[in-house]
Amino acid sequence: MIARLNDAEITAALPDVPGWTRNGDGIERQYRFADFVTAFAFMSRVALLAEKADHHPEWSNVYNKVDVRLTTHDAGGLSARDFALAKAIDG
């Protein structure tokens, strides 16, 4: 079972993922790109990271914007996996 982070752990982890904000039981970030092709290329790179981590984002794409939300459904909220994937996405 994947451990759910408590509020203190989440608060401590957020500074490590600048640009991400907590929203309920997840963390979210919006990315903007020059155009649709660049946004889609970003999504393709993230898809490979997510598959390797076996942890998949909730996301949407409209033209040059990609909205990403991370939460761990198996844990019922945020876990260390969400913060690890956020760092990988930003890397």
Side-chain angles (χ1 to χ4, degrees), residues 1-2 8 11 16 30 34-35 49 58 60-61 66 71 81:
M1 182 168 186
I2 300 168
T11 300
D16 293 336
Q30 183 177 84
D35 53 35
L49 292 171
E58 299 172 8
S60 66
N61 165 241
V66 178
T71 189
R81 295 177 81 184

Side-chain angles (χ1 to χ4, degrees), residues 7-26:
D7 285 336
E9 292 168 322
I10 293 166
T11 300
L14 277 170
D16 293 336
V17 288
W20 290 83
T21 57
R22 183 177 183 185
N23 185 357
D25 63 351

Side-chain angles (χ1 to χ4, degrees), residues 24-85:
D25 63 351
I27 54 174
E28 300 175 342
R29 181 164 184 187
Q30 183 177 84
Y31 296 87
R32 289 180 179 259
F33 300 94
D35 53 35
F36 174 76
V37 172
T38 309
F40 194 83
F42 167 78
M43 292 180 76
S44 295
R45 288 190 303 272
V46 171
L48 296 173
L49 292 171
E51 188 65 18
K52 185 176 179 180
D54 192 29
H55 191 56
H56 305 94
E58 299 172 8
W59 58 4
S60 66
N61 165 241
V62 177
Y63 183 59
N64 69 333
K65 293 182 288 186
V66 178
D67 293 310
V68 182
R69 177 177 167 77
L70 300 174
T71 189
T72 304
H73 297 285
D74 292 343
L78 285 161
S79 74
R81 295 177 81 184
D82 299 303
F83 289 94
L85 185 55

